[in-house]
Amino acid sequence: MWREVGIIRSGNELRRAIEQLEAMPISPPEKVTREEYELLNMWTVAKVIACSALAREESRGAHYRSDFPYHDDRFAKHSLVRRGQPARFLQNSSHK
């Protein structure tokens, strides 16, 4: 995550991070331990961040894409990520 989904991001790095995350043998824990659930949660959050960042083809605030260095108001919305679906952007009433 530090190398591929850090402060300055690009589409190639984000795709590489997603591929690496998907290649990890992470599954719901067989043992019900705090450590197993924490690992699954960290993996899930990492994947959501990478997928959302890849879908957001602009730079805004702390999200900087070297391949999309400018604001694009089409992305002035909250992102929604669901398992098995691409990230999408929700209309925010304050950004009509």
Side-chain angles (χ1 to χ4, degrees):
M1 289 298 288
W2 182 257
R3 282 191 306 267
E4 310 293 356
V5 192
I7 295 171
I8 299 175
R9 305 164 176 179
S10 74
N12 289 336
E13 292 167 338
L14 294 166
R15 279 186 284 282
R16 197 166 38 242
I18 293 166
E19 288 172 7
Q20 291 172 2
L21 288 163
E22 289 176 344
M24 291 179 172
I26 303 292
S27 60
E30 292 179 20
K31 298 181 279 180
V32 181
T33 67
R34 178 179 176 171
E35 291 81 14
E36 293 290 325
Y37 278 112
E38 285 177 352
L39 176 62
L40 178 61
N41 289 342
M42 286 188 289
W43 179 87
T44 302
V45 169
K47 188 154 180 224
V48 167
I49 289 169
C51 288
S52 294
L54 181 61
R56 186 171 292 278
E57 296 178 337
E58 68 155 355
S59 291
R60 183 176 298 269
H63 171 76
Y64 181 80
R65 289 277 304 262
S66 60
D67 48 351
F68 294 96
Y70 303 104
H71 288 280
D72 184 340
D73 284 336
R74 291 179 301 149
F75 296 100
K77 303 171 184 174
H78 295 288
S79 54
L80 174 67
V81 178
R82 290 190 175 162
R83 188 175 312 178
Q85 297 179 10
R88 63 188 184 108
F89 298 91
L90 303 175
Q91 182 64 38
N92 183 341
S93 60
S94 65
H95 296 289
K96 286 187 177 182

